[in-house]
Amino acid sequence: MSCKSCATGGCGTQRSTSDGKETATAGCGSGGCSSGGCNKMNSFDWLSDISQPGLKKYDVVEVKFKGGRKEYYRNVHQLDLTTGDYVVIDMQPGYHIGAVSMQGELVRLQVKKRAVKINDDTKAISRIATPKEMDRHEQAVLRDLPALYRSREIARDLKLNMKLSDVEFQSDNTKATFFYSSEERVDFRELIKMLAGEFKARIEMRQISLRQEAGRLGGIGSCGRELCCSTWLTDFKNIATSAARYQNLSLNPAKLSGQCGRLKCCLNYELDTYMDALRDIPAIDKPLETQKGRAWLQKTDIFRKLMWFGYSSESTWHPLPIARVVEIVDLNKRGIIPESFDVLTPVGERVAVAPVTLNSDLQQLDAKYATQNSSKKKKKKPRGRGDGSTPRP
């Protein structure tokens, strides 16, 4: 994402024109603006000055255009190119100018990674751009923003349900590509006729997704860094809400959505690590049962291997290691209720619980005293009648 002054040439960078005058550069395609250069899809060609011994130099060059778009072209004329040079590419019709972003063996790796087919039909670099061609290219770039505003007014008048996000004029001003996004099919035949009459150029309408639109426009994410889709991310994968669940993230659409309105691409960055860590953590479908009551799972610390449980009667959460949770789950499956989380001594089974009679302690005391009284009565001797003794006066 470039600074706002780059569009008007206010960064302070000077460039010599064909008539010898010094003018401010409109745009930071050269990477020389005082704010540090445009970081949209930048790449560091660290092998550009290193020759491969015994190998012929790879003749395919990576060329970067507006919006971070990169294409691959053959250097059939064996031009002496340096990273950052502006080259002319023949188009049908006319020509277009782009900057060399990478060459050599790194391009071979990029071509293999993106599965780009290089053959005799691949377009070739025509020549290095002259100062006159660069002046015309800068004039074409300056037309992009006014053309975007005017095309939005025309689309609004035609009541078309589409969002025009960017315009790219070809360097010779013979063709203009309009990038738009829409959730339904749009009939823009009348729009093309009006745009062709307005800008006197061949019109091409190219539909892009919302993620591609955010990548072309750029911006700052909630992390404080520039958007991944506008700096280095080129392939967009499907992202499901299960990625947030596996990482114990809050299912808040406002926090999980990016500037494109879709789920953030960074939700997939650490998903594989979380999936590997979750293999050792058991799935808890019901609460753990102890003598104190039922304990419900409150949260899981995946990397510390801790699971937090809490009773419904109290607000304290108890951390348990994974091994202890597995033991308690196994005891509950066998019908055994442990005394607590710390003491796993089986107190008793739920099925074979002996019936307890009421006032059993009182009955035991009555039986004890009854036996004592009966034994005392047996030991007591009767008084003097019938034994020949004279009773005392």
Side-chain angles (χ1 to χ4, degrees):
M1 188 189 69
S2 61
C3 57
K4 293 183 179 179
S5 56
C6 288
T8 59
C11 293
T13 305
Q14 301 293 323
R15 173 181 291 275
S16 298
T17 57
S18 57
D19 53 358
K21 295 181 179 180
E22 296 288 330
T23 58
T25 304
C28 54
S30 61
C33 64
S34 57
S35 61
C38 178
N39 293 324
K40 188 171 291 186
M41 294 298 172
N42 273 357
S43 56
F44 178 63
D45 194 358
W46 57 279
L47 285 178
S48 58
D49 298 330
I50 302 177
S51 59
Q52 299 292 328
L55 293 177
K56 184 180 178 181
K57 187 176 181 180
Y58 195 54
D59 63 342
V60 179
V61 179
E62 184 185 75
V63 180
K64 178 180 176 181
F65 299 98
K66 179 189 174 183
R69 180 173 60 92
K70 295 181 179 181
E71 302 289 344
Y72 298 94
Y73 301 96
R74 297 179 60 191
N75 186 11
V76 294
H77 302 293
Q78 300 299 321
L79 300 174
D80 187 15
L81 300 176
T82 308
T83 303
D85 289 345
Y86 285 92
V87 293
V88 177
I89 312 295
D90 290 331
M91 299 290 179
Q92 295 296 331
Y95 64 89
H96 199 24
I97 294 179
V100 176
S101 59
M102 190 181 295
Q103 55 183 336
E105 292 302 314
L106 289 181
V107 180
R108 190 195 301 271
L109 297 177
Q110 291 294 325
V111 167
K112 183 178 179 181
K113 175 184 176 182
R114 301 186 182 185
V116 179
K117 294 182 179 180
I118 303 297
N119 47 35
D120 296 337
D121 298 332
T122 305
K123 293 181 180 180
I125 296 176
S126 177
R127 60 190 179 276
I128 298 179
T130 62
K132 188 175 181 179
E133 290 171 336
M134 286 302 302
D135 292 342
R136 193 171 183 181
H137 170 69
E138 291 174 2
Q139 292 175 4
V141 171
L142 291 177
R143 294 184 63 187
D144 292 346
L145 196 59
L148 177 62
Y149 292 155
R150 177 56 184 156
S151 60
R152 287 178 177 175
E153 292 177 359
I154 297 175
R156 193 181 304 113
D157 295 338
L158 295 176
K159 297 181 180 180
L160 296 178
N161 188 14
M162 59 187 300
K163 180 184 178 183
L164 289 166
S165 57
D166 199 8
V167 181
E168 182 178 353
F169 273 88
Q170 203 166 278
S171 299
D172 57 354
N173 289 315
T174 58
K175 180 183 175 182
T177 304
F178 289 81
F179 297 90
Y180 75 96
S181 59
S182 177
E183 297 181 356
E184 58 185 24
R185 184 178 179 86
V186 181
D187 184 9
F188 44 73
R189 289 176 292 182
E190 186 64 26
L191 176 65
I192 291 180
K193 294 178 182 179
M194 298 184 66
L195 292 178
E198 181 79 21
F199 302 112
K200 303 297 186 293
R202 181 184 174 186
I203 304 300
E204 178 184 350
M205 304 296 297
R206 186 175 299 179
Q207 185 174 8
I208 58 177
S209 64
L210 294 176
R211 285 193 170 97
Q212 292 173 336
E213 177 186 348
R216 289 189 66 89
L217 298 179
I220 304 297
S222 58
C223 58
R225 300 177 62 91
E226 295 186 34
L227 298 180
C228 299
C229 53
S230 64
T231 51
W232 61 271
L233 188 62
T234 55
D235 53 337
F236 303 102
K237 299 180 180 179
N238 292 329
I239 304 170
T241 53
S242 57
R245 293 193 184 97
Y246 289 137
Q247 300 176 56
N248 286 340
L249 298 177
S250 174
L251 298 180
N252 187 355
K255 294 183 178 180
L256 297 180
S257 300
Q259 292 192 6
C260 58
R262 299 291 186 264
L263 291 176
K264 293 180 180 178
C265 297
C266 55
L267 290 176
N268 278 350
Y269 294 169
E270 299 178 351
L271 181 59
D272 294 338
T273 307
Y274 277 90
M275 295 299 294
D276 293 339
L278 283 171
R279 292 177 181 175
D280 302 330
I281 297 179
I284 305 298
D285 301 329
K286 53 184 180 180
L288 302 182
E289 295 191 11
T290 62
Q291 291 293 323
K292 196 174 180 180
R294 291 186 173 185
W296 302 82
L297 177 64
Q298 302 296 334
K299 72 170 185 176
T300 304
D301 195 333
I302 299 176
F303 296 107
R304 293 175 61 189
K305 304 293 184 183
L306 289 176
M307 303 181 74
W308 301 72
F309 290 85
Y311 294 103
S312 55
S313 58
E314 58 184 28
S315 59
T316 307
W317 292 359
H318 303 274
L320 297 179
I322 301 300
R324 180 57 57 93
V325 174
V326 173
E327 293 180 10
I328 297 177
V329 170
D330 185 56
L331 289 175
N332 290 160
K333 285 182 180 179
R334 291 184 291 163
I336 301 176
I337 304 177
E339 183 177 349
S340 64
F341 291 141
D342 300 324
V343 182
L344 300 185
T345 307
V347 176
E349 298 183 357
R350 288 184 294 178
V351 233
V353 175
V356 181
T357 56
L358 296 175
N359 300 328
S360 57
D361 296 338
L362 297 177
Q363 293 178 0
Q364 292 177 2
L365 288 175
D366 293 341
K368 177 181 177 181
Y369 287 113
T371 52
Q372 289 180 359
N373 293 334
S374 60
S375 60
K376 286 181 180 180
K377 288 180 182 179
K378 289 180 181 179
K379 290 180 181 179
K380 188 177 182 180
K381 294 181 180 181
R383 296 189 177 180
R385 293 183 181 178
D387 56 354
S389 61
T390 304
R392 293 180 182 179

